[in-house]
Amino acid sequence: MSIVRYVVAGRELAFLPDNKTWTNRFEVGSDSSTRVYMIAQGKANKQWACSCPGWIMSRKGGRAGICKHLRKLTEAGVLTEIVRLRESKSLRLSSGV
């Protein structure tokens, strides 16, 4: 699996190829440990997801998932910029499918 590094909105992100379910997949580091979490956008519903425990727990009871990673990236404009770059073909990632 190839990882492509891009700087988006001033942050270096390690992107992974799309798969059948997810697009715009990249890794973020935890603020409080050495853990690394996956952020990705669903191909079908266009919703963002995170592999961190905070996002997983926020999904309990059918609620929309949110976590501090997605909140920070949204506030910094990173997620919007990733989508814009992908749509303009400025950010090209090969498919892992």
Side-chain angles (χ1 to χ4, degrees):
M1 171 175 23
S2 63
I3 295 176
V4 179
R5 295 191 182 277
Y6 280 95
V7 175
V8 178
R11 293 180 67 127
E12 183 179 80
L13 303 175
F15 282 89
L16 297 142
D18 291 355
N19 62 27
K20 291 180 182 180
T21 308
W22 301 100
T23 187
N24 299 326
R25 301 184 323 140
F26 62 96
E27 298 175 336
V28 295
S30 169
D31 292 336
S32 58
S33 73
T34 58
R35 292 185 191 119
V36 175
Y37 300 115
M38 175 70 61
I39 304 281
Q41 186 178 31
K43 284 186 173 181
N45 64 11
K46 304 295 184 205
Q47 297 297 311
W48 289 94
C50 183
S51 64
C52 76
W55 185 86
I56 293 167
M57 292 303 294
S58 75
R59 298 278 299 155
K60 300 286 183 190
R63 295 177 298 200
I66 191 68
C67 66
K68 64 183 177 183
H69 308 105
L70 290 176
R71 191 175 295 115
K72 283 182 181 180
L73 293 167
T74 299
E75 290 171 359
V78 173
L79 301 180
T80 302
E81 184 68 2
I82 289 169
V83 172
R84 187 189 71 73
L85 289 171
R86 285 297 297 268
E87 288 174 351
S88 71
K89 308 284 191 243
S90 297
L91 180 65
R92 296 174 187 228
L93 306 173
S94 61
S95 176
V97 197

